[in-house]
């Protein structure tokens, strides 16, 4: 698995996970965002075996390492961060909002390994688990529905970690906004479309002769509000020409 | 479900979802982050029934609305955004990185409804679905493993939407032109204009029957690029109706 050196230093640690689907989902999200080192601590044996042997198990999953204690799972890391849904823990741990915590994690990853811990679906991380952590991260869920699905929590955390990585220049993106980047139609091109619409309206008896100048102005303003690209102006001309042709041929 | 007025204007739309677990996961993530309006378009019937009747189905899920077409599901929204894993689509759609797209969505939510579309697990959104979208969002997954689990993709998107909510209030767009101030047309109003143009093209023999679906998609995208105001949509409808009337009367 190719990964940036920084990302290669992160260890996602799942503690006492019960549901094989969640282990698989965590691995998938990690792979999506370029992280490849998954560690599991005391998973339900069956769950881990099932997840690992599942059809389409990812490289992340098959290479996952198994530990029996949190201490061993985080032993080679210089920073250990726990995740929690709660807000009012009585622990003596700094509790950081995800976006702020992620910034600190990235900083640390520049030089050394970081472990990010996720607890079991039912009870999260225990106080014992927390005691291995330097500080905790809280995902900003709302008070009335705090608890996230484990696979989704991992996804949101690893997304936040890579979110800023590409922040500065997104080379591919620049050329990828045809709708925005396309050169605007020149006034001349827009006027050609305008004239075509006006002709159609005249042929359709939409404009009474006495109101023609006012209607024409209205249409002109209407067309300018569209901010047509040169490309779209061409498309419209083609469409309008065809209708005009049909309109005149229907009467001939 | 309590939610901020802004969040209450978002519609998450799942198109042709197959797996009930994914519908449930999407609903859970929405609830975690304070969004309550879920719409499903042509889900596998059984999947939807199963998800909805599941033990612990959330309020979001039991209140989900079902539609048979994307057009109906987004009809009351002024901005329709699709999600895609791909990078090299040949569509004429602006493709925005999630963080940038989310900023624009939040801006729009300050005043009107926005639909955020997610395609099926297997094939994502179709070109037909895309034709209803103003632009697309790409989650920054890595090239070698682009495709995300549906529930995780929804989680990451709604997280990004609330991520900044607690941060400094975004100053209202400083330099709004008068043209931008006008309330935008809803998707339903734009679709009415689209249908009128399509009818005209059909009557004008612009569309060969074999190319009709492709042409219809092209016209739909063309109309969405205009970002019509509600007022201008009305004007166009009047103009097009008159032409259509003339066209048909000329042949009778």
């Amino acid at each position: 698995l190719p990964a940036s050196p920084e990302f290669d230093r992160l260890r996602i640690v799942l503690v006492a996970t019960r549901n094989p689907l969640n282990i698989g989902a965590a691995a998938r999200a990690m792979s999506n965002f370029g992280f490849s080192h998954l560690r599991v601590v005391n998973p339900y044996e069956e769950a881990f075996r099932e997840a690992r042997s599942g059809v389409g198990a990812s490289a992340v999953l098959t290479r996952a390492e198994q530990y029996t204690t949190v201490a061993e799972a985080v032993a080679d890391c210089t920073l250990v961060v726990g995740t929690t849904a709660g807000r009012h823990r009585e622990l003596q741990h700094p509790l950081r909002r995800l976006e702020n915590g992620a910034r600190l994690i990235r900083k640390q990853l520049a030089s050394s390994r970081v472990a990010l811990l996720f607890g079991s679906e039912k009870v999260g991380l225990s106080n014992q688990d927390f005691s291995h952590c330097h500080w905790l991260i809280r995902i900003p869920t709302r008070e009335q529905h705090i608890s996230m699905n484990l696979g989704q929590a991992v996804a949101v955390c690893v997304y936040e970690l890579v979110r800023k990585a590409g922040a500065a220049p997104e080379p591919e993106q620049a050329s990828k906004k045809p709708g925005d980047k396309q050169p605007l139609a020149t006034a001349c091109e827009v006027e050609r479309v305008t004239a075509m619409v006006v002709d159609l309206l005249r042929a359709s008896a939409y404009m009474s002769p006495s109101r023609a100048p006012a209607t024409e102005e209205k249409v002109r303003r209407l067309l300018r509000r569209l901010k047509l690209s040169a490309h779209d102006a061409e498309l419209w001309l083609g469409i309008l020409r065809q209708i005009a042709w049909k309109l005149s041929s229907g009467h001939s």
Side-chain angles (χ1 to χ4, degrees), chain A residues 3 10 13 44 47 64 82 95 152 168 176-177 185 190 208 233 237-238:
Chain A
L10 185 75
V13 182
Y44 275 39
L95 186 57
Q152 292 177 315
K176 272 292 156 66
K177 290 189 182 177
V190 177
S208 69
L237 263 186

Side-chain angles (χ1 to χ4, degrees), chain A residues 17-237:
Chain A
T17 310
R18 290 158 169 258
N19 186 338
L21 291 177
N22 286 336
I23 302 179
R28 180 167 178 180
M30 289 172 61
S31 176
N32 282 144
F33 291 107
F35 299 95
S36 47
H37 299 289
L38 177 63
R39 293 176 173 179
V40 295
V41 177
N42 284 336
Y44 275 39
E45 273 305 329
E46 209 176 325
F48 186 50
R49 223 178 313 119
E50 200 178 313
R52 207 171 199 171
S53 64
V55 178
S58 62
V60 170
L61 200 51
T62 53
R63 286 178 24 174
E65 300 166 315
Q66 193 171 357
Y67 295 86
T68 50
T69 65
V70 168
E72 293 168 278
V74 304
D76 57 351
C77 299
T78 59
L79 172 64
V80 181
V81 179
T83 53
T84 176
R87 269 151 229 231
H88 308 296
R89 298 256 171 202
E90 286 146 38
L91 287 170
Q92 298 298 316
H93 274 92
L95 186 57
R96 299 197 156 92
R97 227 179 124 95
L98 172 56
E99 63 211 67
N100 301 326
R103 205 176 45 240
L104 296 175
I105 291 175
R106 278 197 308 270
K107 203 172 282 174
Q108 190 81 3
L109 285 175
S111 60
S112 57
R113 289 188 182 163
V114 177
L116 183 56
L117 272 61
F118 294 84
S120 79
E121 295 89 339
K122 212 156 186 176
V123 295
L125 293 168
S126 68
N127 283 351
Q128 167 75 20
D129 301 331
F130 282 136
S131 71
H132 291 276
C133 299
H134 294 88
W135 40 267
L136 309 181
I137 264 182
R138 183 174 77 68
I139 303 176
T141 49
R142 70 192 173 100
E143 198 76 48
Q144 297 85 350
H145 191 175
I146 275 181
S147 169
M148 281 193 82
N149 163 273
L150 178 56
Q152 292 177 315
V154 172
V156 164
C157 288
V158 291
Y159 163 71
E160 178 64 45
L161 281 170
V162 308
R163 188 180 175 279
K164 269 295 171 199
E170 215 187 330
E172 350 144 34
Q173 201 199 7
S175 57
K176 272 292 156 66
K177 290 189 182 177
D180 291 342
K181 286 274 175 178
Q182 286 218 356
L184 285 174
T186 63
C188 169
E189 289 161 337
V190 177
E191 184 58 18
R192 224 178 290 145
V193 181
T194 309
M196 206 72 213
V197 173
V198 168
D199 281 355
L200 272 175
L201 291 180
R202 196 169 285 129
S204 308
Y206 179 88
M207 306 198 289
S208 69
S210 69
R211 300 272 305 144
T215 307
E216 202 175 319
E217 274 170 31
K218 202 167 91 173
V219 171
R220 182 167 288 113
R221 290 203 306 271
L222 182 59
L223 265 298
R224 265 91 192 145
R225 283 199 291 272
L226 300 182
K227 300 186 182 83
L228 288 173
S229 69
H231 176 256
D232 282 0
E234 271 311 305
L235 279 177
W236 278 112
L237 263 186

